Amino acid sequence: DGNVQLDVALIDVLKAPKNRRTKVPWFYAPAFLLFWLALFFAVVIPLFNRLPDGVTIAEEPQKPGQFVAERAQRILLDYDRIGPKVVGSIANEEITVAFLLDEVEKVRSSMREDLYSLEVDVQQASGAYMHWNMVNMYQGVQNVVVKLSTRGSPSESYLLVNSHFDSKPSSPGTGDDGTMVIVMLEVLRQISISPQTFEHPIVFLFNGAEENPLQASHGFITQHKWAKNCKTLVNLEVAGSGGRDLLFQGGPNHPWLMEYYKNNAKHPFATTMAEEIFQSGILPSDTDFRIFRDYGHVPGLDIAQVSNGYVYHTEFDNYAAVPRNSLQNAGENVLPLVRAFANASELHDTEAHAEGHAVFFDFLGLFFVYYRASTGIILNSCIAAVSIALVCVSLWRMAKVSELSLWQISTWFGILLALHVLGMILCLGLPLLMAVVFDAGDRSLTYFTNTWLMIGLFVCPAIVGLSLPTTVYYALRKNLNISHAYHLQMSLHAHCIVLSLIAIILTSISLRTPYLCMISTLFYSASLLINLLSSLHDRGYFWVPIMQIFQLMPFFYFCSLFYTFLVIFVPMMGRNGSSINPDLLVCILCAVGTFFALGFVSPLINMFSWSKFVMLALGIVTFIFSMIAVSDVGFPYKAKTSVMRVNFLHVQRTFYEYDGSLSLSDSGYYFDFQDRRLQYPLEDTTVNLTGLQSINADCDKLLMCGVPCFNHRWCKARSTGHWMAREEVTIPGNASIVLLAKSIFPSNATARYEFELSGPPHMGLFIQPLGDVSVSDWSFIRNMLDEPEDYKLPYQIFFSYGKDNSPLKFHVDFVKPDGNFEVPIFELGVAWHYVSYDYKRDEAGIKFINSFPDFVHVMEWPTLYKRYVL
């Protein structure tokens, strides 16, 4: 085949009479590049998608103590049939809670009661905390809490295992987070029937308000009777449906957790880089892990399934999207982890083991590596130093063998190092240029469904950019004093020096991701050392095979790592909002992945004659892929599998002025489009968007741009929202805001306004003081008032409830320096959101929903919005 022919050609070159400019014939270059592409598809992709076979109920007697995916799958089907589970809905607060209690009783009926005790508590929690720029207030949200203990165990240190059973509207949440709810139930069952006891009680928290966001976990960790005993956490999430479960956060500052993961997770899948990216806040996601960490100071592991993010929070996140084998994969990781943590001596005093961060990663799911961040600093620095030293030895050897001065060799190396830095810039710059050009032509997200387009659009330009400066240099240079093989080695040395410097710089600012540079330079330095010791270094291209063999493991790892990020990020770009060009992030991932995976490979393109034509060929490939991308093939969306997300509210709004008069009374659809393409893909389709207009112009004159944005993310992006008038919206439930009292304090500079709010399970308040008025106190948590530099007006309060629908009474105290409260003091916006399907949509709304094309997933609900000037 092509690879054998390439090997023969290389051997022929090696055996040929010595010629300083000898190269491999150009027609072997395609085989060289395709070899690496074939390795990616033959090794990386199969290992990424590898899952264990699901254990059946019939096999259970032969496999005692093992997770049984078939039973879990049967329970998951019952969970799926409940449908969407929105906080405050009958489905979430009654049916799902009853379902969980019934499943726990089934566990109790089969439990070894001689060994274990099982306690169940249904908690209703009320409280509040700051979620970004929003007061996140909740009332009567529910948790189903199960504690399994070994009889006679004196331990007061508990292990906490968490998942959530609520879902987004329109989604049954079978993947997010039904998969992990069911995994927890089967883990609970397996541990409760096992003859192998454990030391520390295990608390299984099935929390009922994560999507709200993160309310039930806050209610548990700040209020529940068992919370103070929880010393370690295993948080289980899903950001898609199916596939492997990624450990993307750990600790913090508890590296011993990684030791347990290493020794007990049967299918490791983890990376420090994911942790640093997630904690940077660039992802449109958050998990209960943060709540347990920040409000309970509980260290732990945050684990999530990340495949098929296209179905995340859509109606397609259903039973059919969850393969049995993915349940088995999760179970075979979680079950032994829970058993191990439940016997961990560290739980007696976790603070005594708080010893800094850890660097961790897996290799293709085959094994797991971790070490402490302090060790990482030493490794990164030492390997970088050794790499630089070996490069210096190599340059000295070239000078000696070529009978040239070290200064001459160093000068040529300096030129190649500068060219490589330029190549690194182009490696990033050319894909960025592609992203900018496509976005300027309204062609972003062309790879959203057909992800293979990224190879031509971003990877090929990255390869061209990385190799082009040295290719042009080799084509133009006339220096024959040293062999081309030496020049080629120097270009690889330049990449090694760049990686070493990056490792040193990033390590010095306390990042852990430089382990990528360490891996790359480690394997290159090992091959360089062998070539130096064996004299292959000085025998033409004889050093190439050793170097390429040593590049296989880094190539596999980097391809797997960045493919993982693309699997995570590409679907996210369909819900990342319209303000940022999504192609920028995707092309950066492709470019950085190319830099690491092919950094020691792409310079070898210059080993072939006419290498500049290889650059031209890659450019032609990019052009062909670009033409494909702007055709119908590049249309981003596909029905059922990779849909366009459209969020909108059926809004009835009324604006009252200070004198009680109406300044606005209308109805319309308020759109919060979820990706860069906004409404344009819907043009010339079955949905009628006549009259749709941006609300940006209203943002300077109307409170919250005149719309009832739902939560922090909606409100942050409100200026990109759109409005389309419609006939009057029928509001399907009660709604009330009553001014109970207005009282002036004795100081005459402060007035208190007291209100009572009632309505559906999701409501919002917006408060904007006018003129020189300020808020001195209120009945909500005081963060916004005590830290005004961290929060912007208007104040946003998000209020939701589960079982307890009693009205919310609150007050706000306003200060006005002149004491005149007979003028407009503040604006108050009130939004009543009828989110769940307990509230019917009106006939016009249903007709509009049904008019959207099949490649669109709609998330919508009716909303009543009133604005007052008081």
Side-chain angles (χ1 to χ4, degrees):
D1 60 13
N3 295 330
V4 173
Q5 293 175 342
L6 178 60
D7 292 340
V8 171
L10 184 56
I11 291 171
D12 289 342
V13 170
L14 295 174
K15 291 181 177 179
K18 188 172 183 180
N19 185 332
R20 296 188 187 278
R21 295 184 66 89
T22 300
K23 293 185 177 183
V24 178
W26 66 269
F27 43 81
Y28 291 108
F32 175 74
L33 294 176
L34 290 174
F35 167 70
W36 296 98
L37 183 64
L39 284 178
F40 172 73
F41 284 104
V43 178
V44 176
I45 298 298
L47 286 175
F48 180 86
N49 294 319
R50 185 183 62 164
L51 294 170
D53 293 333
V55 174
T56 65
I57 295 174
E59 295 173 321
E60 188 173 13
Q62 288 77 43
K63 299 180 178 181
Q66 290 193 30
F67 187 92
V68 181
E70 183 183 8
R71 181 184 294 106
Q73 195 175 35
R74 290 181 181 181
I75 301 173
L76 187 64
L77 179 58
D78 293 334
Y79 177 93
D80 177 80
R81 287 170 174 165
I82 297 172
K85 306 163 186 69
V86 179
V87 171
S89 67
I90 295 172
N92 194 67
E93 308 305 330
E94 296 182 15
I95 299 175
T96 306
V97 170
F99 163 82
L100 290 169
L101 292 174
D102 182 59
E103 291 299 326
V104 171
E105 288 308 309
K106 291 177 183 177
V107 170
R108 188 194 298 275
S109 66
S110 61
M111 182 180 69
R112 289 283 303 270
E113 294 197 20
D114 58 323
L115 298 178
Y116 307 110
S117 64
L118 188 146
E119 299 175 66
V120 181
D121 181 51
V122 179
Q123 179 195 21
Q124 290 189 25
S126 301
Y129 73 96
M130 290 304 303
H131 185 75
W132 306 106
N133 292 319
M134 173 183 84
V135 173
N136 190 12
M137 190 173 184
Y138 56 91
Q139 176 178 287
V141 299
Q142 296 194 99
N143 289 312
V144 177
V145 193
V146 181
K147 184 174 75 167
L148 183 67
S149 309
T150 297
R151 292 188 183 277
S153 173
S155 176
E156 293 297 324
S157 298
Y158 301 169
L159 168 66
L160 175 62
V161 187
N162 174 73
S163 66
H164 68 90
F165 59 82
D166 65 312
S167 74
K168 286 287 189 180
S170 80
S171 174
T174 309
D176 176 29
D177 195 21
T179 291
M180 292 307 187
V181 167
I182 289 355
V183 165
M184 280 174 55
L185 285 170
E186 178 62 12
V187 168
L188 171 62
R189 196 192 75 86
Q190 289 293 342
I191 293 178
S192 70
I193 64 175
S194 172
Q196 180 183 350
T197 60
F198 51 89
E199 180 181 3
H200 307 296
I202 308 169
V203 174
F204 293 85
L205 172 59
F206 303 92
N207 91 64
E210 189 268 356
E211 302 289 5
N212 240 34
L214 313 181
Q215 294 173 342
S217 56
H218 183 268
F220 172 83
I221 203 63
T222 58
Q223 301 169 38
H224 197 272
K225 59 184 178 182
W226 295 330
K228 66 180 182 299
N229 298 94
C230 294
K231 303 301 182 182
T232 301
L233 164 73
V234 177
N235 188 57
L236 302 173
E237 259 289 359
V238 173
S241 192
R244 299 155 67 199
D245 32 287
L246 174 71
L247 169 59
F248 64 100
Q249 290 190 95
N253 297 316
H254 285 263
W256 62 272
L257 294 166
M258 296 304 163
E259 178 71 24
Y260 279 82
Y261 184 84
K262 176 184 178 181
N263 293 335
N264 296 281
K266 192 173 180 179
H267 310 289
F269 186 31
T271 171
T272 292
M273 189 175 176
E275 179 177 84
E276 291 193 322
I277 289 175
F278 192 86
Q279 293 178 357
S280 70
I282 66 173
L283 294 182
S285 295
D286 205 352
T287 76
D288 289 318
F289 180 89
R290 181 174 69 83
I291 300 298
F292 296 124
R293 179 195 68 199
D294 294 351
Y295 294 94
H297 307 292
V298 181
L301 304 179
D302 204 3
I303 299 172
Q305 290 186 351
V306 295
S307 294
N308 196 16
Y310 296 107
V311 304
Y312 179 70
H313 289 175
T314 74
E315 63 185 301
F316 307 109
D317 181 14
N318 53 32
Y319 175 80
V322 183
R324 177 185 293 183
N325 291 352
S326 69
L327 289 170
Q328 188 68 38
N329 188 90
E332 290 185 356
N333 279 341
V334 175
L335 178 56
L337 270 174
V338 170
R339 281 177 169 154
F341 282 135
N343 288 291
S345 60
E346 289 85 353
L347 263 67
H348 290 295
D349 186 4
T350 54
E351 285 306 308
H353 300 275
E355 299 172 339
H357 289 290
V359 178
F360 57 90
F361 57 92
D362 74 290
F363 180 76
L364 305 181
L366 301 176
F367 58 87
F368 181 75
V369 177
Y370 99 95
Y371 45 85
R372 294 181 181 181
S374 55
T375 303
I377 293 173
I378 297 171
L379 277 175
N380 294 346
S381 304
C382 290
I383 291 176
V386 169
S387 299
I388 293 171
L390 285 172
V391 167
C392 292
V393 171
S394 174
L395 296 177
W396 172 81
R397 183 85 157 260
M398 290 179 189
K400 181 178 180 182
V401 171
S402 303
E403 298 180 350
L404 297 169
S405 70
L406 185 58
W407 172 254
Q408 288 176 292
I409 295 292
S410 299
T411 301
W412 294 327
F413 176 69
I415 293 171
L416 286 170
L417 181 60
L419 290 172
H420 188 72
V421 171
L422 176 61
M424 183 175 66
I425 295 171
L426 290 176
C427 177
L428 185 62
L430 292 183
L432 283 172
L433 178 62
M434 294 290 293
V436 170
V437 169
F438 268 74
D439 185 59
D442 295 325
R443 287 292 188 272
S444 58
L445 289 171
T446 55
Y447 50 82
F448 189 67
T449 292
N450 296 308
T451 53
W452 50 268
L453 285 171
M454 291 184 288
I455 296 174
L457 295 179
F458 303 134
V459 175
C460 285
I463 296 173
V464 170
L466 192 59
S467 307
L468 186 61
T470 51
T471 300
V472 172
Y473 172 72
Y474 291 140
L476 298 178
R477 75 177 181 91
K478 302 302 180 183
N479 174 29
L480 299 178
N481 292 324
I482 62 171
S483 70
H484 184 67
Y486 272 168
H487 264 288
L488 211 54
Q489 280 199 74
M490 284 195 285
S491 66
L492 299 183
H493 292 350
H495 186 64
C496 181
I497 293 295
V498 167
L499 286 172
S500 299
L501 294 176
I502 292 173
I504 293 171
I505 293 169
L506 295 185
T507 300
S508 69
I509 58 174
S510 301
L511 290 179
R512 287 165 285 151
T513 297
Y515 82 90
L516 303 180
C517 300
M518 182 272 293
I519 290 174
S520 194
T521 54
L522 173 65
F523 281 89
Y524 180 72
S525 298
S527 66
L528 178 56
L529 180 62
I530 291 173
N531 283 325
L532 284 169
L533 294 175
S534 63
S535 78
L536 294 175
H537 176 273
D538 307 311
R539 296 171 60 190
Y541 294 107
F542 274 102
W543 55 270
V544 173
I546 297 295
M547 192 276 293
Q548 293 296 272
I549 290 170
F550 272 80
Q551 282 305 303
L552 289 175
M553 286 190 69
F555 175 81
F556 291 146
Y557 177 71
F558 293 131
C559 284
S560 177
L561 176 66
F562 285 94
Y563 179 72
T564 297
F565 285 128
L566 289 172
V567 166
I568 296 170
F569 276 92
V570 169
M572 279 187 179
M573 296 303 97
R575 55 185 177 91
N576 200 41
S578 59
S579 60
I580 299 175
N581 177 6
D583 292 11
L584 295 177
L585 178 58
V586 173
C587 81
I588 288 172
L589 284 173
C590 290
V592 176
T594 301
F595 176 77
F596 278 103
L598 296 176
F600 288 114
V601 172
S602 61
L604 294 181
I605 291 172
N606 294 299
M607 182 173 63
F608 302 95
S609 58
W610 300 100
S611 53
K612 55 183 174 292
F613 288 104
V614 177
M615 297 291 101
L616 178 62
L618 289 171
I620 292 172
V621 170
T622 296
F623 176 77
I624 293 172
F625 272 66
S626 299
M627 294 300 99
I628 296 172
V630 298
S631 72
D632 290 342
V633 176
F635 185 71
Y637 317 108
K638 186 177 180 181
K640 298 183 180 180
T641 57
S642 46
V643 293
M644 176 185 184
R645 299 164 187 262
V646 176
N647 296 351
F648 67 86
L649 308 181
H650 319 240
V651 180
Q652 181 191 113
R653 60 181 181 176
T654 309
F655 291 1
Y656 297 95
E657 298 306 315
Y658 182 68
D659 60 4
S661 63
L662 277 176
S663 59
L664 179 66
S665 180
D666 67 356
S667 290
Y669 297 112
Y670 159 44
F671 287 89
D672 179 33
F673 291 106
Q674 294 294 288
D675 69 48
R676 183 70 164 181
R677 290 208 171 191
L678 295 169
Q679 76 275 18
Y680 299 112
L682 300 175
E683 295 176 351
D684 302 321
T685 65
T686 52
V687 63
N688 182 3
L689 296 180
T690 303
L692 182 73
Q693 57 187 3
S694 171
I695 64 172
N696 187 52
D698 295 330
C699 293
D700 293 331
K701 54 186 179 180
L702 295 177
L703 175 68
M704 303 306 289
C705 304
V707 293
C709 50
F710 182 57
N711 56 24
H712 162 72
R713 294 195 183 280
W714 282 54
C715 293
K716 184 179 180 181
R718 63 185 181 275
S719 62
T720 63
H722 289 70
W723 179 267
M724 188 176 79
R726 58 153 285 180
E727 63 186 70
E728 184 176 351
V729 173
T730 301
I731 298 301
N734 68 308
S736 172
I737 179 76
V738 178
L739 176 61
L740 300 176
K742 175 185 175 181
S743 54
I744 309 298
F745 286 16
S747 66
N748 292 325
T750 302
R752 170 169 291 183
Y753 293 75
E754 299 177 52
F755 298 91
E756 181 177 274
L757 174 68
S758 60
H762 298 82
M763 293 177 277
L765 298 170
F766 308 106
I767 300 171
Q768 174 67 61
L770 299 175
D772 59 354
V773 176
S774 61
V775 176
S776 62
D777 198 10
W778 58 16
S779 54
F780 308 114
I781 56 175
R782 288 189 51 90
N783 300 61
M784 286 184 171
L785 306 183
D786 295 338
E787 304 161 22
E789 66 280 359
D790 295 333
Y791 301 100
K792 295 180 180 179
L793 293 172
Y795 300 119
Q796 181 187 1
I797 294 92
F798 179 80
F799 173 69
S800 64
Y801 62 80
K803 286 286 285 186
D804 181 2
N805 64 355
S806 56
L808 171 67
K809 292 184 178 181
F810 66 95
H811 69 264
V812 185
D813 297 345
F814 293 95
V815 173
K816 195 169 189 296
D818 63 7
N820 180 13
F821 289 97
E822 300 305 319
V823 296
I825 301 300
F826 67 102
E827 286 185 89
L828 174 67
V830 188
W832 292 268
H833 297 278
Y834 302 86
V835 179
S836 79
Y837 292 115
D838 294 345
Y839 301 101
K840 292 183 179 180
R841 282 57 171 160
D842 61 22
E843 185 177 343
I846 293 172
K847 183 178 179 181
F848 184 65
I849 294 166
N850 293 335
S851 70
F852 280 85
D854 61 0
F855 63 81
V856 173
H857 168 77
V858 168
M859 187 173 77
E860 49 68 44
W861 58 82
T863 298
L864 175 63
Y865 182 52
K866 295 184 179 182
R867 190 225 58 182
Y868 302 88
V869 179
L870 298 170

